């Protein structure tokens, strides 16, 4: 549905986008995720036609739209502030697009009634933007953006102005609405949880470059670069020198705490200083039970314990001073089993240790 071919953009000698190529399939919910200033909103504005790229091409459903003005591109867009017209009712706000296209009022009314039902705002038909909540305004903006059935809907930080609980509810509603409408959605956000909760696929951006594209699971479990690894979710960063390699099995000693072993396809690691990674939720306290798979077993001293209701986070100091964080879910009534200063052993599978194949990647 959307194809970007080598899009680049600079402002005053400052490169904002560098050689971005990307394909998004029809019906996908695709999320562009990155820190503020990484170029994701500029890319969205180029797709919409508000900015022109310095080089590269944009295709929507096979059509080169690079020379088309904003109003002729088959897209809809929802802005951060929703941009509703304060002097118009909800109904009239939604009707703006088809009225500009001079569609018959009877046809417009039928479309609006359908969208009011889909977006759960039928009761707001005749009220004004100042009389509705942020979540309701978001639904109105969605209905207005899709009434002309665009081929792709662009959403720029659509939930950023809402509080946490409302964001979570509306995220689920957006997914349901997108499935009902069947329109391709392209979201831009800096919120990792929002990105992963909305996306069927996502792309990670940094400094104007697209670092990696994949499903949320693929990017979280198999990040391809150091940046994606450390940016997406919480992760333990463990440094050491490779002692030996046997059939791609890497051994990294960590002083009196023990050693880490894992399998890696990265070449020429022997005697090299490396940084490997393991997610906090993959680490468990050693309860003395027999293990059914090959595991790493490390000893250290508990330095911090943080309780978060549904889970707790523990920080363990290894003998070489490195810190290891583990996260445990509370499946039963929480009781303090460990105390700060305790010497403990923790376990994690060899398969849960990973080493990104590339240090940098430009797609």
């Amino acid at each position: 549905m959307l194809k970007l071919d080598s899009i680049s953009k600079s402002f005053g000698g400052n490169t904002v986008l560098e050689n971005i190529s990307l394909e998004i399939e029809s019906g996908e919910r695709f999320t562009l995720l990155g820190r503020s200033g990484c170029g994701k909103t500029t890319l969205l504005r180029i797709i919409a036609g508000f900015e022109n790229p310095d080089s590269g091409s944009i295709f929507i459903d096979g059509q080169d739209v690079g020379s088309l003005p904003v109003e002729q591109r088959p897209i809809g867009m929802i802005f951060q502030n929703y941009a509703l017209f304060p002097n118009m009712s909800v109904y009239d706000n939604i009707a703006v697009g088809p009225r500009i296209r001079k569609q018959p009022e009877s046809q417009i009314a039928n479309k609006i009634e359908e969208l009011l039902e889909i977006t759960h705002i039928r009761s707001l038909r005749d009220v004004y933007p100042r009389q509705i909540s942020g979540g309701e305004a978001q639904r109105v903006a969605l209905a207005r953006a899709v009434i002309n059935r665009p081929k792709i809907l662009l959403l720029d930080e659509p939930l950023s102005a809402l509080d946490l609980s409302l964001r979570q509810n509306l995220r689920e509603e957006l997914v349901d609405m997108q499935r009902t409408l069947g329109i391709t959605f392209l979201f831009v956000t800096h919120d990792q949880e929002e990105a992963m909760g909305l996306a069927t696929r996502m792309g990670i951006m940094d400094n104007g470059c697209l670092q990696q594209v994949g499903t949320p699971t693929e990017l979280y479990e198999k990040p391809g670069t150091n940046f994606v690894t450390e940016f997406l979710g919480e992760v333990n960063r463990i440094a050491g020198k490779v002692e030996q390699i046997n059939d791609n099995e890497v051994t990294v000693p960590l002083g009196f705490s023990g050693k880490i072993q894992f399998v890696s396809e990265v070449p020429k690691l022997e005697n090299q200083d490396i940084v490997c990674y393991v997610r906090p939720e993959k680490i468990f306290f050693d309860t003395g039970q027999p293990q059914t798979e090959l595991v790493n077993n490390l000893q250290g001293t508990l330095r911090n314990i943080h309780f978060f209701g549904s889970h707790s986070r523990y920080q363990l100091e290894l003998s070489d001073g490195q810190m290891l964080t583990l996260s445990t879910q509370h499946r039963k009534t929480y009781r303090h089993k460990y105390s700060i200063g305790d010497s403990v052993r923790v376990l994690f599978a060899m398969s849960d240790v990973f080493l990104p194949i590339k240090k940098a990647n430009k797609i």
Side-chain angles (χ1 to χ4, degrees):
M1 182 55 70
L2 175 68
K3 180 180 179 180
L4 306 178
D5 185 8
S6 304
I7 298 293
S8 294
K9 179 69 176 179
S10 297
F11 292 104
N14 178 37
T15 300
V16 179
L17 297 172
E18 184 177 353
N19 197 34
I20 301 288
S21 293
L22 174 67
E23 293 187 11
I24 299 175
E25 299 298 325
S26 177
E28 277 198 287
R29 295 187 307 276
F30 193 96
T31 301
L32 284 173
L33 174 65
R35 299 187 179 108
S36 297
C38 71
K40 57 189 186 297
T41 295
T42 299
L43 184 59
L44 207 68
R45 290 176 59 81
I46 286 174
I47 296 168
F50 295 115
E51 301 281 356
N52 293 317
D54 297 334
S55 60
S57 303
I58 306 163
F59 299 88
I60 298 178
D61 199 19
Q63 178 188 11
D64 187 341
V65 300
S67 61
L68 295 181
V70 176
E71 64 273 13
Q72 292 184 23
R73 298 192 183 193
I75 59 130
M77 189 160 185
I78 296 181
F79 300 92
Q80 284 178 297
N81 62 0
Y82 309 134
L84 300 180
F85 299 108
N87 61 328
M88 292 184 182
S89 68
V90 165
Y91 182 98
D92 289 331
N93 261 281
I94 299 172
V96 167
R99 282 175 176 167
I100 289 174
R101 298 186 180 193
K102 302 187 184 303
Q103 295 179 10
E105 279 296 322
S106 59
Q107 184 179 341
I108 294 173
N110 289 335
K111 287 182 177 180
I112 292 178
E113 290 303 318
E114 179 186 6
L115 285 170
L116 290 174
E117 189 69 33
I118 291 173
T119 54
H120 312 297
I121 53 173
R122 182 175 293 281
S123 63
L124 306 179
R125 185 184 189 280
D126 298 316
V127 303
Y128 289 80
R130 66 179 178 274
Q131 299 170 293
I132 63 180
S133 68
E136 291 166 341
Q138 201 265 354
R139 295 185 182 98
V140 176
L142 176 64
R144 187 179 64 180
V146 302
I147 191 168
N148 285 326
R149 291 290 172 169
K151 293 183 176 179
I152 185 167
L153 180 64
L154 310 178
L155 302 98
D156 185 13
E157 302 273 8
L159 307 179
S160 62
L162 307 175
D163 62 57
L164 178 59
S165 60
L166 188 55
R167 284 205 307 270
Q168 292 171 336
N169 292 334
L170 280 176
R171 187 170 66 220
E172 295 171 3
E173 288 189 18
L174 274 173
V175 170
D176 290 338
M177 291 175 197
Q178 187 271 339
R179 288 172 178 158
T180 300
L181 294 165
I183 296 172
T184 305
F185 277 22
L186 172 56
F187 299 87
V188 158
T189 182
H190 67 276
D191 187 302
Q192 296 185 17
E193 183 176 329
E194 181 178 303
M196 298 179 78
L198 286 169
T200 52
R201 280 197 312 141
M202 56 195 290
I204 309 292
M205 290 190 66
D206 181 48
N207 290 328
C209 296
L210 195 57
Q211 291 281 318
Q212 190 176 357
V213 172
T215 66
T217 301
E218 288 169 348
L219 297 189
Y220 186 81
E221 298 288 350
K222 296 181 180 179
T225 72
N226 287 355
F227 175 82
V228 174
T229 300
E230 298 186 17
F231 174 73
L232 190 60
E234 188 177 4
V235 69
N236 286 294
R237 187 178 189 274
I238 308 171
K241 187 172 184 177
V242 176
E243 182 180 68
Q244 62 184 29
I245 302 176
N246 293 317
D247 297 327
N248 289 339
E249 186 176 296
V250 180
T251 299
V252 180
L254 296 174
F256 294 111
S257 289
K259 60 185 178 182
I260 289 181
Q261 292 180 298
F262 61 98
V263 175
S264 175
E265 297 179 0
V266 178
K268 301 179 181 179
L269 286 179
E270 201 150 20
N271 297 319
Q272 297 296 311
D273 292 321
I274 65 163
V275 174
C276 57
Y277 300 90
V278 60
R279 300 284 184 188
E281 70 273 14
K282 304 291 187 180
I283 306 175
F284 303 91
F285 287 108
D286 186 358
T287 60
Q289 299 296 317
Q291 302 302 314
T292 58
E293 60 179 317
L294 294 175
V295 297
N296 291 292
N297 189 319
L298 297 179
Q299 184 169 347
T301 304
L302 274 181
R303 295 304 184 197
N304 285 295
I305 303 173
H306 301 282
F307 176 77
F308 292 99
S310 64
H311 68 284
S312 288
R313 291 174 69 254
Y314 300 82
Q315 287 186 305
L316 178 75
E317 184 178 7
L318 304 180
S319 64
D320 62 0
Q322 295 192 83
M323 302 298 290
L324 201 64
T325 298
L326 59 151
S327 177
T328 61
Q329 294 293 316
H330 300 154
R331 295 178 177 84
K332 299 180 180 179
T333 301
Y334 178 74
R335 294 184 180 87
H336 285 286
K337 187 175 181 180
Y338 303 99
S339 300
I340 292 175
D342 285 353
S343 178
V344 297
R345 299 196 73 85
V346 294
L347 309 173
F348 49 97
M350 289 174 58
S351 57
D352 287 328
V353 182
F354 56 91
L355 191 68
I357 294 176
K358 300 177 183 177
K359 290 187 177 181
N361 188 27
K362 296 179 182 178
I363 298 175

